Amino acid sequence: MSTLQFSLFFAGLLIGYLLIHSRLVRFEGYLKEISGLKPLNDRLKGVSDSIERVRLDRVEEQLGQLHEDLVGLLQQLSRLERTVHQDLVENFVPAPQAASPGIVEATPGERVAGVVEARLLQLGYGDLRLLTDLGHVRLEDRIDVRVEARKGEMPCKGTVTVRNGSVVDVALRSVVQTFT
């Protein structure tokens, strides 16, 4: 064998050794990762065993008993309600329908004023003043009630539209907006 052939053979062996060595190093890395998975596998097995030890049969049984008790309680409650209702119907004596002299029915104007005031108070307005005369209004008509009020510390003016005894529209603006 010549020197050239020997050097080529030796170089081939060296390259082969390097390739095999690099593959073995990578394989050792994979083996280390796999050996790290073994404790995880043991933990998973422990969790699986503890889940098997948990008994849900007892909880299911108690929930079933609770459901049965609740159904019985609802039945007894409905019986009690029927009994109380029947007692009230039998023992109830209606009061005479005569009008008492202290009760006065509100006029349509007073009812409209009450509805407007209630709605504006719900919207957060205060210090309300109704500027429209509501003395001769009818509930069936559309009524535009001119109003002055305060929201916070800002004075507001505008109209509240009422139809059939209920508020349809509220159009109030701050006085400051009027001048800008």
Side-chain angles (χ1 to χ4, degrees), residues 133-158:
D133 180 30
L134 299 174
H136 303 290
V137 296
R138 294 185 338 197
L139 290 177
E140 302 83 33
D141 295 339
R142 176 186 165 131
I143 306 159
D144 290 326
V145 181
R146 296 191 68 221
V147 176
E148 288 182 355
R150 286 188 175 273
K151 189 162 191 176
E153 293 297 319
M154 261 326 169
C156 300
K157 293 184 178 184

Side-chain angles (χ1 to χ4, degrees), residues 1-9:
M1 195 167 176
S2 73
T3 311
L4 181 63
Q5 287 176 340
F6 178 73
S7 53
L8 287 175
F9 176 72

Side-chain angles (χ1 to χ4, degrees), residues 12-23:
L13 280 176
L14 188 60
I15 291 172
Y17 172 76
L18 289 175
L19 287 175
I20 290 173
H21 181 71
S22 66
R23 299 266 174 150

Side-chain angles (χ1 to χ4, degrees), residues 75 77-87:
Q75 290 172 351
L77 183 64
S78 65
R79 272 189 253 132
L80 179 65
E81 183 180 5
R82 283 192 301 266
T83 304
V84 168
H85 179 67
Q86 187 178 14
D87 288 345

Side-chain angles (χ1 to χ4, degrees), residues 49-95:
D49 293 341
S50 65
I51 287 177
E52 288 178 8
R53 278 186 273 143
V54 173
R55 302 291 298 182
L56 295 179
D57 299 338
R58 183 170 172 239
V59 174
E60 289 175 359
E61 185 179 305
Q62 289 177 345
L63 281 175
Q65 181 65 36
L66 185 62
H67 177 71
E68 291 172 6
D69 292 345
L70 183 61
V71 167
L73 185 64
L74 286 174
Q75 290 172 351
Q76 290 176 358
L77 183 64
S78 65
R79 272 189 253 132
L80 179 65
E81 183 180 5
R82 283 192 301 266
T83 304
V84 168
H85 179 67
Q86 187 178 14
D87 288 345
L88 284 176
V89 169
E90 291 173 357
N91 297 330
F92 179 71
V93 177

